[in-house]
């Protein structure tokens, strides 16, 4: 009986010690909340209740190599990602973020994750042949996303014949169907997304890839985004280091081929 009780107390003591050790280790981890709009596919999306996409899977691959962080993902409205980083609610954003001077004043960006060529989605018989043909035409776009901001900037310098931009929360399929029906003249979007959505939905549209030098665009590359504070700087530095490793070992290329159907890695 004494041996049994002794064994029992030893076992309980070891269990308590193990639990305490795990609690200490968990407490020592730095919490990182990564915000995403979970849209559009294939950058970030939700499928059967699970977040997926290039940006999401790459973030997971990065933090597998950074065990000092306890990472959680949170789905939110796209504009709320930046306001959440401003308030400290989120420490990182993963949703195909573009970079420009205005954002760079407030936020830190990772190394570029992939090339993101811009495209015009238009009806097959459209009079729009190149980017300059959008003057005076109609389109729709989500508030705060890079392509809408680009059109806003375009209108500032083309006030005599601006693009008629209607803001919407409709998904990409609905927006492109509106172009197909003639409600709008074009949709400015990632060429990667445009081609995929047109193909998946059998739309009678074509994608005109916009040359890099045709317009000043902040959407040439996509990035992770961080708060511009001490924690953000530390996180940015560590994430960038791992991104370099994942570029070298082919992980990023593999994800690009998986989600984009081609190699869009930054050379």
């Amino acid at each position: 009986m004494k041996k049994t009780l002794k064994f029992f107390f030893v076992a309980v003591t070891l269990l308590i010690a193990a639990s305490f050790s795990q609690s200490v280790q968990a407490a020592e981890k730095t919490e990182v909340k990564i915000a995403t709009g979970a849209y559009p596919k294939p950058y970030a999306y939700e499928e059967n209740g699970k977040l997926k996409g290039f940006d999401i899977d790459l973030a997971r691959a990065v933090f597998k190599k950074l065990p000092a962080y306890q990472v959680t993902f949170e789905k939110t409205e796209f504009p709320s990602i930046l306001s959440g980083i401003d308030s400290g609610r989120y420490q990182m954003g993963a949703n195909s973020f573009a970079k420009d001077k205005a954002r760079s004043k407030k936020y830190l960006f990772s190394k570029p994750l992939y090339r993101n060529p811009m495209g015009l989605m238009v009806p097959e018989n459209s009079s729009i042949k190149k980017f300059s043909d959008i003057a005076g035409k109609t389109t729709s776009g989500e508030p705060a996303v890079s392509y809408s901001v680009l059109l806003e900037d375009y209108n500032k310098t083309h006030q005599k014949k601006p693009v008629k931009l209607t803001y919407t929360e409709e998904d990409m399929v609905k927006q492109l169907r509106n172009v197909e029906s003639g409600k709008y003249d074009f949709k400015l979007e990632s060429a990667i997304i445009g081609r995929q959505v047109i193909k998946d939905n059998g739309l009678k549209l074509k994608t005109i890839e916009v040359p890099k030098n045709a317009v000043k665009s902040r959407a040439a590359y996509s990035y992770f985004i961080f708060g511009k504070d001490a924690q953000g700087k530390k996180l940015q530095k560590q994430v960038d280091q791992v991104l370099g490793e994942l570029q070298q070992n082919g992980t990023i290329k593999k994800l690009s081929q998986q989600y984009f159907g081609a190699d869009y890695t930054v050379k």
Side-chain angles (χ1 to χ4, degrees):
M1 177 64 74
K2 289 183 179 180
K3 289 184 178 180
T4 301
L5 287 173
K6 184 178 180 181
F7 175 79
F8 173 76
F9 285 121
V10 169
V12 170
T13 300
L14 291 174
L15 181 60
I16 292 172
S19 298
F20 178 76
S21 177
Q22 290 175 357
S23 298
V24 170
Q25 290 176 4
E28 290 176 348
K29 287 180 178 288
T30 301
E31 183 181 23
V32 172
K33 285 188 177 181
I34 303 177
T36 180
Y39 175 81
K41 186 179 182 180
Y43 304 134
Y45 60 101
E46 192 172 29
E47 186 175 88
N48 298 322
K50 182 180 180 182
L51 290 172
K52 299 180 68 175
F54 181 100
D55 292 56
I56 303 301
D57 282 7
L58 181 55
R60 289 191 178 112
V62 166
F63 284 98
K64 279 185 179 179
K65 291 180 172 289
L66 295 173
Y69 293 100
Q70 180 67 43
V71 177
T72 56
F73 290 86
E74 186 169 321
K75 178 182 174 182
T76 186
E77 296 297 323
F78 187 86
S80 298
I81 299 175
L82 296 181
S83 61
I85 290 176
D86 291 341
S87 68
R89 177 182 177 85
Y90 307 124
Q91 287 70 52
M92 178 172 158
N95 210 110
S96 189
F97 277 97
K99 182 179 181 180
D100 68 358
K101 289 183 180 179
R103 280 185 177 174
S104 295
K105 289 179 180 179
K106 291 189 66 178
Y107 308 101
L108 298 174
F109 291 81
S110 68
K111 290 181 177 181
L113 309 179
Y114 50 88
R115 295 182 294 111
N116 201 353
M118 184 168 55
L120 293 168
M121 274 52 77
V122 299
E124 294 174 345
N125 61 350
S126 174
S127 62
I128 297 174
K129 308 297 181 184
K130 56 187 182 300
F131 186 80
S132 59
D133 293 337
I134 68 173
K137 303 296 186 181
T138 61
T139 189
S140 63
E142 304 94 318
V145 302
S146 59
Y147 298 103
S148 295
V149 174
L150 187 149
L151 291 174
E152 292 167 358
D153 292 341
Y154 172 91
N155 284 344
K156 291 176 184 177
T157 57
H158 295 77
Q159 295 183 13
K160 290 184 178 181
K161 205 171 183 181
V163 168
K164 298 170 185 176
L165 173 62
T166 299
Y167 294 102
T168 181
E169 295 294 344
E170 292 177 335
D171 64 25
M172 189 60 57
V173 176
K174 178 60 177 175
Q175 290 186 62
L176 289 180
R177 288 196 187 282
N178 286 337
V179 175
E180 183 184 47
S181 71
K183 182 177 180 179
Y184 297 115
D185 296 316
F186 73 94
K187 172 64 183 170
L188 184 66
E189 184 53 69
S190 158
I192 295 171
I193 293 177
R195 290 193 184 100
Q196 190 65 53
V197 175
I198 290 170
K199 178 181 177 182
D200 289 348
N201 293 275
L203 301 177
K204 294 179 180 179
L205 300 173
K206 62 181 178 181
T207 299
I208 301 172
E209 191 163 319
V210 180
K212 194 174 180 180
N213 59 355
V215 60
K216 186 177 180 181
S217 169
R218 67 181 191 175
Y221 302 100
S222 290
Y223 307 80
F224 292 137
I225 194 168
F226 313 88
K228 206 167 192 178
D229 53 17
Q231 183 181 12
K233 290 178 181 179
K234 180 180 179 181
L235 192 58
Q236 176 205 38
K237 183 177 179 180
Q238 293 177 321
V239 168
D240 275 354
Q241 182 177 343
V242 175
L243 285 173
E245 296 172 11
L246 298 179
Q247 175 77 9
Q248 290 295 320
N249 68 21
T251 297
I252 297 178
K253 180 178 179 180
K254 184 178 179 181
L255 287 173
S256 178
Q257 291 171 331
Q258 175 187 343
Y259 283 106
F260 304 153
D263 181 9
Y264 282 94
T265 55
V266 181
K267 307 300 182 184

